[in-house]
Amino acid sequence: MFYNKSTGKNTSNSAPSIGSGGIQKAPEPWVSKYRPRTVDDVAHQDEVVRALKKSLDGGALPHLLFYGPPGTGKTSTILAIAMDLYGPDLIKDRVLELNASDERGIEIVRTKIKNFASFTVNNTTVAGKQVPSFKLIILDEADSMTQDAQAALRRTIENTSKTTRFCLLCNYITRIIEPLSSRCAKFRFKPLKSEAMGERLKYIADQEGVNLANESTLDAIHTVSQGDMRKAITFMQSAHRFYASKSITDANIYDISGSVEPKTLELFINSCKSGDFYKVRHLVERVMALGYPASQIISQLFDIVVQPSIHFNNIQRTKIAIKIGQIDRNLVDGSDEFLQLFDLGAYMMKCFDEMEMN
Amino acid sequence: MLWVDKYKPTSLDHMDYHPDLSLHLKNMIKSSDFPHLLVYGPSGAGKKTRIMAILKEVYGPNCLKLKIDHRTFKHPSTNKNLQVTTISSPYHIEINAGEAGSNDRLIVQSIIKEIAQSPPIDSSVFGAFKIVILNEVDKLSKDAQHALRRTMEKYAASCRLILCCDSTSRVIDPIRSRCLGIRVPAPSIADVQNVLNIVATKEKFELPKKISEEIAVKAKGNLRYALLMLEAKKAKQYPFVEGVPLLDWENYIQVIARDIIMEQTPAKLMAVRAKLYELIGHCIPPELIIKTLTLELLDSIDNSLKCETIHWAAFYEHRIQIGTKPIFHLEAFIAKFMSCYKKFNSEPFVAQ
């Protein structure tokens, strides 16, 4: 996703516009500015792109279901496809995009979607290009649609398949009901690898004049974004704005992303190890006062726990991992962060104690 | 006017602590292009103060002229009229989305989208974009947060969102990844003391170091609480006497803790129930009761029992969140603790 190669010609405003004078355009977030414009530009989803291109060339597009973690290029890909198919003029008439910000309960499915899906369009040629005789309905964030609304879609998809193609986008394929997913060709989008992301980030950094301290900063961005391109670009833009003229270091990136410093976590584990209850309590209080969200702390702690280290043996790892799972769930339910984190600390302390006794 | 409001700094230059943060924020504003913001940190750390300062930095002092609006909109399926209170200036609008309860998704879908869709008329006067401040995002339902996702992206050019919450644990990932997170840590004890001293000097009274330290420690990084405490203390007695009195409910919880430690019987449980009802009747949130009670209990029990206690506290606090009636779970926690404590006290004899 997000351009493999430079397509500088049609993004003339990508050059830094400061001082260029004339009409000042509203500044655009880099995420939308550097969104891939064609299917070829989508990075790191090679299999998906290949399969899609094949079906595009053949002119026979199946119903599509894209799934994968956020920021992997699902929306970008389908928008690029729509652009490829219809061109900038027809896209408004032939594509209906609905996402979770639109009301789309069962009523909308029965009326708006059905109406749009049922009228036919002609096979036309625009600017020497054959435009296919079907329309496209994009249902973004389809996993947030209710079961009923999804069920109402079933027949609509089949009945109108002559005139309309559906494309469903979601993060979790398990939330799409089976009858729907079986009607679509499924494509999985995978998190971006470090190299693919680094390459793209570097391109944007060059274009925008971002001052990166060194190569490892890109790795830091990849680490905190966990393969989410949108996150990565947002982080980079934020860091660029936030630390203005200075060059961006790894520490800046961790700061921007809201990650806890590894040192603090080390301290947390060590205080659990020491068996001093008040030390643990004090530390939890301090971490809370610093404003770190508990979910962030436990997710980083989890990474430490599962990685090979001198702190834990396998039994402890398992136990603590289970505990972290429970705590994560409790947090999602809205439990008090302090108590939950304190509970985790106390539990880890117990685990360490048991090891010593054996 | 309360001191808390009177001495609230209105510009980024006058922030009393976190100078680095202020500097970075200024840098960001200077570039006249900033992303959506997600401001988080413990309460009383100065999140709102900083948000307003950002607004002032961007739009000048006019944005501090606030007016309160009641917006009504129609529920699309039931056709009922719903109302929501907003605070706005010509440049921004502030919504407390938690207010709408289960209808929060509709607010996001209708009001926020409506604001976002209409860009400012004259960008030379009103700036290139509007700002929507959304408080308590963590209280928004998952549905509402999902509804926000595309709105944030699609109208990013004409509208910036500033989201504000205590903790991002309950903010869904897609939203977090669209924002620049700004963490506002609680001020340190020295920071709080410093602010207290500044206020004391401006109000022209003597603040002994000991008193300010006491207040700062007691406030646990909540500056608003510290200032209110100072003002209350000043009103009560001046010159100051040492010692910050505990609040009524804190005292009350201490009594409960002592009761529980003293005697673990069903009769005592009944006696405690009356006290718990009293607390809940006075609108002390049950989470706060269980938290304070736990910390009280921890101070007076053996080390080996502490892990278990904290575990059950966390367990029952979670139950309070997912359940409907907090009193059940508060009592369950106390009963559980009593049983653990009793068992523990009888155990050493068995072992020997």
Side-chain angles (χ1 to χ4, degrees):
Chain A
M1 65 172 296
F2 296 97
Y3 298 101
N4 267 331
K5 53 185 193 288
S6 142
T7 45
K9 32 186 184 328
N10 52 359
T11 53
S12 51
N13 61 339
S14 67
S17 61
I18 302 153
S20 60
I23 310 153
Q24 214 184 2
K25 241 191 110 201
E28 202 181 355
W30 296 352
V31 179
S32 32
K33 195 163 160 186
Y34 293 98
R35 207 184 256 288
R37 300 282 191 272
T38 70
V39 187
D40 284 325
D41 292 335
V42 176
H44 195 63
Q45 311 289 357
D46 300 336
E47 301 101 43
V48 178
V49 168
R50 216 178 309 132
L52 277 175
K53 274 196 75 89
K54 268 237 171 75
S55 45
L56 277 179
D57 289 341
L61 198 68
H63 297 301
L64 301 169
L65 174 61
F66 293 174
Y67 64 102
T72 47
K74 299 181 295 294
T75 313
S76 301
T77 305
I78 191 62
L79 288 179
I81 290 177
M83 201 53 124
D84 263 14
L85 283 175
Y86 304 113
D89 298 324
L90 275 175
I91 197 164
K92 282 204 182 91
D93 300 331
R94 302 232 168 153
V95 177
L96 176 68
E97 192 198 346
L98 290 173
N99 54 58
S101 73
D102 304 297
E103 175 67 39
R104 48 172 191 194
I106 193 155
E107 265 319 295
I108 298 292
V109 172
R110 282 189 186 139
T111 56
K112 198 170 172 188
I113 294 184
K114 217 169 161 184
N115 288 344
F116 183 84
S118 48
F119 73 82
T120 340
V121 288
N122 285 337
N123 222 345
T124 47
T125 314
V126 174
K129 223 180 100 196
Q130 183 85 20
V131 175
S133 62
F134 53 78
K135 290 164 280 118
L136 189 65
I137 296 185
I138 303 171
L139 293 171
D140 208 345
E141 291 145 33
D143 40 3
S144 69
M145 285 171 78
T146 59
Q147 297 260 327
D148 289 346
Q150 290 186 33
L153 263 181
R154 294 163 57 171
R155 283 303 282 169
T156 314
I157 290 192
E158 270 182 2
N159 286 341
T160 59
S161 64
K162 264 194 186 141
T163 53
T164 310
R165 293 289 176 278
F166 281 81
C167 179
L168 280 69
L169 314 180
C170 64
N171 294 134
Y172 305 101
I173 195 168
T174 42
R175 302 229 182 107
I176 303 291
I177 58 170
E178 178 61 30
L180 266 193
S181 61
S182 69
R183 283 173 170 79
C184 304
K186 300 186 204 60
F187 292 97
R188 194 177 84 89
F189 284 68
K190 47 188 195 288
L192 271 81
K193 286 261 166 50
S194 179
E195 303 85 53
M197 184 182 269
E199 203 179 303
R200 186 69 195 139
L201 286 176
K202 230 196 223 120
Y203 167 73
I204 298 176
D206 286 346
Q207 291 282 313
E208 296 285 342
V210 178
N211 191 356
L212 294 170
N214 47 38
E215 286 290 312
S216 75
T217 312
L218 288 177
D219 288 336
I221 297 179
H222 181 257
T223 312
V224 295
S225 63
Q226 294 171 324
D228 181 339
M229 194 71 196
R230 170 167 41 230
K231 239 189 210 169
I233 296 180
T234 314
F235 284 153
M236 194 164 77
Q237 186 175 16
S238 308
H240 180 57
R241 295 277 174 255
F242 218 51
Y243 301 102
S245 46
K246 278 177 286 177
S247 62
I248 301 162
T249 62
D250 297 14
N252 293 153
I253 295 293
Y254 283 115
D255 217 26
I256 284 274
S257 65
S259 305
V260 187
E261 271 176 82
K263 214 170 62 199
T264 315
L265 291 171
E266 196 78 3
L267 220 62
F268 183 71
I269 292 173
N270 281 334
S271 67
C272 290
K273 239 179 177 169
S274 73
D276 185 344
F277 207 80
Y278 285 94
K279 238 187 197 166
V280 177
R281 177 175 160 180
H282 177 74
L283 210 80
V284 173
E285 273 171 358
R286 216 190 72 188
V287 173
M288 289 281 101
L290 283 175
Y292 290 116
S295 55
Q296 180 68 37
I297 297 168
I298 60 167
S299 86
Q300 279 183 266
L301 210 56
F302 182 74
D303 289 343
I304 296 181
V305 169
V306 291
Q307 267 162 25
S309 72
I310 46 158
H311 290 306
F312 313 92
N313 63 31
N314 278 340
I315 297 174
Q316 288 169 331
R317 278 204 185 99
T318 329
K319 279 182 164 174
I320 294 174
I322 293 174
K323 185 79 185 173
I324 288 181
Q326 279 168 2
I327 287 188
D328 182 56
R329 205 214 125 163
N330 292 356
L331 285 173
V332 170
D333 283 338
S335 300
D336 186 81
E337 307 211 327
F338 172 75
L339 280 178
Q340 293 298 334
L341 213 56
F342 201 7
D343 185 17
L344 179 65
Y347 187 82
M348 281 169 66
M349 215 162 86
K350 213 171 90 188
C351 285
F352 284 128
D353 260 9
E354 274 165 9
M355 178 168 72
E356 263 168 41
M357 267 196 267
N358 291 337
Chain B
M1 206 179 191
L2 289 174
W3 293 350
V4 185
D5 299 320
K6 199 167 160 189
Y7 297 110
K8 185 179 268 186
T10 52
S11 84
L12 285 173
D13 296 322
H14 298 129
M15 293 294 161
D16 293 304
Y17 48 93
H18 305 328
D20 283 358
L21 184 62
S22 305
L23 183 77
H24 295 325
L25 285 174
K26 278 186 77 153
N27 278 339
M28 187 187 71
I29 292 162
K30 244 186 258 158
S31 66
S32 81
D33 163 27
F34 59 86
H36 301 297
L37 303 180
L38 174 60
V39 184
Y40 61 98
S43 55
K47 299 184 292 291
K48 269 316 254 318
T49 311
R50 279 175 178 74
I51 291 177
M52 290 319 283
I54 292 173
L55 279 184
K56 198 186 159 201
E57 193 82 22
V58 178
Y59 296 117
N62 263 344
C63 70
L64 298 178
K65 287 180 187 150
L66 301 174
K67 68 174 194 285
I68 296 177
D69 269 334
H70 296 282
R71 272 171 183 258
T72 43
F73 63 99
K74 262 209 170 70
H75 191 294
S77 48
T78 61
N79 258 344
K80 249 193 301 186
N81 272 332
L82 297 165
Q83 204 173 48
V84 60
T85 317
T86 60
I87 299 172
S88 60
S89 78
Y91 309 97
H92 84 285
I93 181 161
E94 189 178 332
I95 300 173
N96 223 340
E99 223 177 273
S102 56
N103 288 324
D104 53 2
R105 184 175 57 96
L106 297 169
I107 296 205
V108 173
Q109 283 178 343
S110 58
I111 295 189
I112 296 187
K113 218 170 154 185
E114 177 197 313
I115 299 165
Q117 273 170 341
S118 54
I121 303 161
D122 186 352
S123 63
S124 61
V125 182
F126 292 103
F129 47 80
K130 285 183 190 171
I131 289 185
V132 176
I133 301 175
L134 203 57
N135 285 322
E136 296 179 19
V137 233
D138 47 347
K139 300 267 167 21
L140 280 181
S141 64
K142 290 267 141 55
D143 276 350
Q145 294 189 30
H146 277 293
L148 208 53
R149 284 169 64 168
R150 271 305 272 172
T151 310
M152 289 173 83
E153 256 181 11
K154 224 167 167 176
Y155 307 109
S158 60
C159 170
R160 292 298 134 85
L161 281 160
I162 299 183
L163 310 172
C164 180
C165 62
D166 281 356
S167 162
T168 58
S169 285
R170 253 183 305 161
V171 179
I172 58 169
D173 216 41
I175 299 232
R176 264 187 280 172
S177 77
R178 283 170 174 78
C179 297
L180 163 59
I182 293 176
R183 184 168 54 87
V184 184
S188 67
I189 287 177
D191 287 333
V192 175
Q193 265 183 293
N194 182 26
V195 175
L196 291 178
N197 280 328
I198 292 171
V199 170
T201 328
K202 280 185 183 154
E203 285 289 319
K204 298 195 181 69
F205 66 84
E206 198 84 21
L207 180 65
K209 206 166 168 221
K210 206 140 184 210
I211 304 281
S212 71
E213 195 180 333
E214 253 174 14
I215 294 179
V217 170
K218 188 86 208 314
K220 285 185 189 147
N222 188 336
L223 187 61
R224 177 172 40 230
Y225 185 37
L227 282 170
L228 287 171
M229 216 164 9
L230 179 70
E231 191 165 2
K233 209 169 155 59
K234 169 90 188 332
K236 211 168 179 182
Q237 196 177 19
Y238 183 80
F240 295 110
V241 284
E242 266 178 47
V244 182
L246 281 180
L247 296 169
D248 292 346
W249 61 269
E250 285 175 321
N251 255 327
Y252 214 71
I253 290 179
Q254 254 181 11
V255 173
I256 295 179
R258 230 175 291 142
D259 280 359
I260 297 170
I261 296 284
M262 226 152 50
E263 191 186 322
Q264 298 88 36
T265 57
K268 200 79 208 174
L269 194 58
M270 280 302 284
V272 170
R273 167 185 288 178
K275 292 204 171 85
L276 287 178
Y277 265 121
E278 179 86 16
L279 281 172
I280 293 173
H282 281 84
C283 291
I284 308 294
E287 303 86 49
L288 198 59
I289 298 178
I290 199 166
K291 204 162 129 183
T292 323
L293 185 62
T294 311
L295 292 180
E296 282 302 332
L297 288 173
L298 283 179
D299 282 340
S300 45
I301 54 173
D302 190 83
N303 261 338
S304 50
L305 204 55
K306 278 175 178 161
C307 284
E308 216 176 332
T309 309
I310 183 74
H311 169 68
W312 289 117
F315 179 83
Y316 285 108
E317 200 273 334
H318 173 231
R319 287 267 174 102
I320 289 179
Q321 296 300 331
I322 52 176
T324 48
K325 215 163 153 51
I327 186 82
F328 295 151
H329 309 292
L330 283 176
E331 267 185 41
F333 168 64
I334 291 169
K336 187 79 201 179
F337 176 78
M338 281 181 169
S339 109
C340 289
Y341 190 69
K342 208 160 186 180
K343 207 159 139 202
F344 173 78
N345 276 346
S346 53
E347 247 171 13
F349 302 105
V350 178
Q352 281 163 5

